[in-house]
Amino acid sequence: MDQDVGSLKAQLKEKEKEVAALRARLAQMEKSRASVPELHSDVAPLTPLTAKAALSNEDIMRYSRQLLLPELGVQGQLNLSGTSVLVVGCGGLGCPLAQYLAAAGIGRLGLLDYDEVELSNLHRQVLHGEENQGQAKALSASRAVRRLNSTVDCVPYHLQLSPENALELIQQYPPEANLPCRRLGHLDFPDPMYDIVADCSDNVPTRYLVNDACVLSGKPLVSASALRMEGQLTVYNYGGGPCYRCLYPTPPPPETVTNCSDGGVLGVVPGIMGCFQALEVLKIASGRGCAAARVAPGDMADNSPGGLFSAFDLNQAPPASCGQQLLMFDGQDARFRSIRLRPKQPGCAACGEKPSVTGLIDYEAFCGSAATDKCQKLNLLSKDQRITAQDYKSILDNTEPHILLDVRPRVEVDICHLPFSLNIPLSSLEERKSEHLRLLQGRISQLKQEMAAERRPAVYVICKQGNDSQKAVQVLEKLSGSEVDAITVKDVCGGLMAWAKNIDPTFPQY
Amino acid sequence: MAAPVGVHLEFGGGAELLFNGVKEHQVTLPSQSDPWDMKQLLVWIRRNLLKERPELFVQGDTVRPGILVLINDADWELMGELEYQLEDQDNIVFISTLHGG
Ligand SMILES: [Zn+2]
């Protein structure tokens, strides 16, 4: 009896050891499978992506709910596994787009972003978490996507898309080699690096750059944008439809362009648009987007196992539902609207009959703005019309009589303001709104009683970052001595953000 | 004499900010000898609706780059652009292109 107990115990111990070893091996394998994707800071050639020949049992289980759709089916799923998508920008649009493409089983995702994760990104860039602050967005997005579907090949690029790298990144062969049916599995020419490009960028120069690179390399471009409560989506350069330049031959004047860091955006709005982008990409990638797109495999496929029919020969493919169409979303009214667009324009500089854009150009010069959504610094005033945040601190410390005029819109003043400031929005000054001018005049008269008669009252203008304040100084100088009493007016360089950074670290930044 | 024309104007994508943030305007264009066309509509908007900073909306006799014009839910390029003759109850949309993400 004792002997039996002893031997069982020994056996159990042995088995436990075995289990522990198996557990360790499993953990090791899982760890390496979900290992950190290597961050690329330049464009390196990738191994060709080959579509799956058949679905494994695991694939069938994972994708079962979408395999049931006749609109996708097994062939569509296999096509997805052989498609690589370049996502330009891992922000508010790129995050949900990458998430749904990975979940659906896309073959390869190139995730490109030059930026790092900041706290003010998290309300809309939902693949990044608090612990990812300061990390490259491309890497953070890749890790999140890997957790979701480790079978997707993720390639994070921590770099700015530029005229120098865009073509090399998108294609691995010169445009002349842009042959139809290149996805038939022949090996006599290299696979293209990316099959579809998604523009999730946040600035005008990048949008023209991505368009031209797609036209030159013959790639469909699924493009979305969002601002405030609105979004827009179009598929360009696909199925004989127009390219971005067909619609917008001339870039907008830089002063008419508002970015998300100035105009604001409700996170769910780019979320909705990014999801729509994913839908359009999936329809193109599966080759089964609409009835006409269903080329019978026998018509075009070669007979080798795994051979795929060309899902999207650009000249023959029927338009995706958003080709030659603009989808507009207004979140305020909860309304979608679909607009029929012009066809490809024969006179288009990029995709027309005699294109003048035969290579990539300097897009920042072309658009007159930088390829970033960060605030550009204006320089409208001379040095003696400006003071620093430090100068203003001394004025306060010396209790010099003055007016601090905050020219931000009401909604921003509600976020934070200096308690003694007078708020008149720049727009009201520009429109010379009488009630606001009366308010200002009242404060000037009050100030005059507090100081020596021969001195001009001082007005210091402040805004968020020191751009609007300069415009306001220019307006006020015109008003001074005519619509209001003569004043000395200067702006606070760098605005409230400089104040928060250099003088009062407890003042909120936004 | 052509009768007055009632048109529905919409501004979006930020273009409404030039019109006091009001997105929809139902307007009546007075009767005139020739039919109203888009070119004349732009002049009318500039005179009657647009109070400040017209350069952010029009450039020369057309809209500034970056604003897409839609006539009854179609790109105006398909409808004759500036030459399109307005009909009663037409819906004209001016949409500023968005670039953010
Ligand atoms: Zn074009």
Side-chain angles (χ1 to χ4, degrees):
Chain A
M1 189 71 173
D2 282 357
Q3 219 175 5
D4 283 351
V5 170
S7 126
L8 279 173
K9 273 186 177 165
Q11 271 184 51
L12 206 55
K13 215 168 187 180
E14 198 55 42
K15 292 287 176 200
E16 271 165 1
K17 249 192 204 165
E18 242 174 86
V19 168
L22 283 171
R23 283 231 167 88
R25 241 179 79 194
L26 179 65
Q28 187 61 45
M29 279 173 79
E30 277 178 343
K31 206 176 147 195
S32 70
R33 229 172 70 151
S35 69
V36 182
E38 192 195 341
L39 187 62
H40 295 243
S41 50
D42 53 19
V43 179
L46 302 173
T47 53
L49 179 70
T50 44
K52 285 177 182 163
L55 298 177
S56 67
N57 285 357
E58 202 184 310
D59 291 335
I60 289 171
M61 181 60 89
R62 179 190 280 262
Y63 303 117
S64 57
R65 298 304 186 268
Q66 65 191 41
L67 286 172
L68 289 170
L69 297 173
E71 289 82 359
L72 186 78
V74 170
Q75 189 57 60
Q77 189 69 53
L78 293 172
N79 289 351
L80 292 187
S81 75
T83 302
S84 50
V85 179
L86 178 65
V87 178
V88 180
C90 301
L93 296 163
C95 283
L97 168 69
Q99 188 173 28
Y100 274 100
L101 291 183
I106 203 83
R108 175 177 286 157
L109 272 181
L111 298 169
L112 183 144
D113 206 303
Y114 63 90
D115 216 354
E116 285 90 33
V117 179
E118 289 174 28
L119 188 60
S120 66
N121 298 148
L122 302 186
H123 81 119
R124 67 186 190 283
Q125 307 184 6
V126 292
L127 286 181
H128 314 303
E130 289 173 4
E131 72 280 10
N132 302 117
Q133 288 177 74
Q135 228 175 57
K137 282 186 189 176
L139 190 61
S140 163
S142 272
R143 284 178 173 152
V145 158
R146 276 289 196 93
R147 272 199 301 277
L148 175 62
N149 190 342
S150 60
T151 67
V152 175
D153 181 20
C154 267
V155 191
Y157 299 100
H158 185 53
L159 51 87
Q160 170 110 42
L161 195 70
S162 72
E164 290 73 40
N165 64 24
L167 282 176
E168 195 188 344
L169 185 68
I170 294 172
Q171 55 170 23
Q172 275 191 306
Y173 57 94
E176 309 83 75
N178 192 2
L179 305 168
C181 303
R182 56 177 179 267
R183 298 176 76 228
L184 290 177
H186 300 297
L187 294 171
D188 4 343
F189 48 88
D191 267 9
M193 212 168 198
Y194 290 102
D195 302 304
I196 303 171
V197 179
D199 188 347
C200 304
S201 71
D202 56 14
N203 63 81
V204 185
T206 304
R207 293 201 176 262
Y208 279 94
L209 165 62
V210 173
N211 178 71
D212 290 359
C214 284
V215 171
L216 289 171
S217 56
K219 304 296 157 109
L221 169 59
V222 181
S223 179
S225 56
L227 183 68
R228 300 190 186 97
M229 299 284 283
E230 289 181 83
Q232 296 170 354
L233 176 122
T234 298
V235 178
Y236 294 108
N237 197 39
Y238 182 61
C243 81
Y244 191 72
R245 277 188 194 252
C246 290
L247 245 66
Y248 310 108
T250 313
E255 66 273 19
T256 65
V257 177
T258 311
N259 58 33
C260 292
S261 55
D262 282 346
V265 62
L266 195 66
V268 64
V269 174
I272 289 166
M273 300 316 293
C275 287
F276 251 102
Q277 254 179 313
L279 176 63
E280 293 306 306
V281 170
L282 289 174
K283 287 193 290 187
I284 297 171
S286 66
R288 301 176 70 92
C290 48
R294 282 177 213 152
V295 183
D299 294 348
M300 289 180 77
D302 64 0
N303 295 321
S304 64
L308 290 174
F309 57 83
S310 170
F312 43 93
D313 173 12
L314 286 170
N315 297 313
Q316 290 164 24
S321 57
C322 281
Q324 209 179 320
Q325 189 173 309
L326 166 67
L327 183 79
M328 302 194 303
F329 172 61
D330 186 330
Q332 186 75 47
D333 307 337
R335 186 162 65 150
F336 283 104
R337 173 186 265 174
S338 191
I339 300 300
R340 199 159 44 91
L341 291 176
R342 67 197 69 179
K344 189 183 171 90
Q345 300 290 288
C348 175
C351 76
E353 282 157 7
K354 290 193 192 100
S356 58
V357 180
T358 52
L360 299 177
I361 59 169
D362 180 343
Y363 292 89
E364 297 193 332
F366 176 62
C367 300
S369 56
T372 163
D373 80 330
K374 307 265 190 284
C375 188
Q376 307 295 304
K377 282 206 180 350
L378 294 178
N379 262 316
L380 305 174
L381 303 180
S382 65
K383 223 178 155 190
D384 58 344
Q385 290 174 296
R386 314 198 72 182
I387 60 169
T388 63
Q390 186 59 55
D391 294 336
Y392 185 66
K393 173 79 165 45
S394 321
I395 290 168
L396 282 185
D397 292 344
N398 299 334
T399 60
E400 289 176 32
H402 70 280
I403 297 168
L404 180 67
L405 183 64
D406 186 333
V407 293
R408 294 173 302 151
R410 183 79 231 171
V411 67
E412 289 184 48
V413 173
D414 286 345
I415 297 171
C416 56
H417 61 274
L418 291 172
F420 37 82
S421 59
L422 168 68
N423 174 227
I424 301 179
L426 174 63
S427 61
S428 299
L429 289 174
E430 282 173 336
E431 289 166 33
R432 289 155 171 70
K433 281 203 173 151
S434 53
E435 76 264 31
H436 281 122
L437 292 189
R438 272 201 303 277
L439 183 66
L440 180 62
Q441 178 57 50
R443 288 288 289 271
I444 294 172
S445 306
Q446 209 181 329
L447 185 61
K448 274 177 132 176
Q449 290 170 1
E450 294 167 21
M451 48 190 271
E454 69 278 7
R455 288 191 56 201
R456 279 185 170 206
V459 175
Y460 299 108
V461 185
I462 202 161
C463 65
K464 183 187 175 191
Q465 310 195 81
N467 283 345
D468 279 359
S469 58
Q470 297 183 61
K471 295 180 191 166
V473 166
Q474 292 183 327
V475 176
L476 286 165
E477 285 192 330
K478 283 187 198 137
L479 298 177
S480 167
S482 59
E483 279 151 281
V484 297
D485 291 348
I487 47 174
T488 300
V489 54
K490 296 181 183 192
D491 91 315
V492 181
C493 209
L496 289 163
M497 294 306 101
W499 179 263
K501 221 171 133 199
N502 305 326
I503 308 295
D504 179 4
T506 68
F507 193 85
Q509 299 191 42
Y510 65 97
Chain B
M1 285 293 273
V5 193
V7 288
H8 186 75
L9 303 178
E10 279 183 61
F11 302 93
E16 75 279 8
L17 298 175
L18 298 169
F19 300 87
N20 269 334
V22 181
K23 283 185 188 162
E24 304 198 20
H25 302 249
Q26 181 67 44
V27 304
T28 305
L29 306 172
S31 77
Q32 59 173 32
S33 49
D34 297 323
W36 281 88
D37 62 18
M38 285 300 289
K39 200 168 169 173
Q40 294 166 327
L41 176 67
L42 290 178
V43 174
W44 187 91
I45 290 174
R46 190 180 165 151
R47 284 202 189 128
N48 295 279
L49 292 181
L50 197 61
K51 298 289 182 313
E52 295 290 325
R53 313 185 71 190
E55 72 280 5
L56 298 185
F57 187 68
V58 283
Q59 225 175 65
D61 61 359
T62 189
V63 291
R64 69 147 170 91
I67 291 184
L68 201 60
V69 186
L70 313 169
I71 301 173
N72 300 327
D73 280 354
D75 184 349
W76 74 334
E77 201 273 342
L78 299 166
M79 313 289 284
E81 297 196 4
L82 289 167
E83 274 75 55
Y84 173 80
Q85 294 193 348
L86 290 161
E87 289 177 29
D88 199 43
Q89 302 312 312
D90 271 349
N91 190 57
I92 315 290
V93 181
F94 298 90
I95 189 105
S96 184
T97 320
L98 307 177
H99 305 96

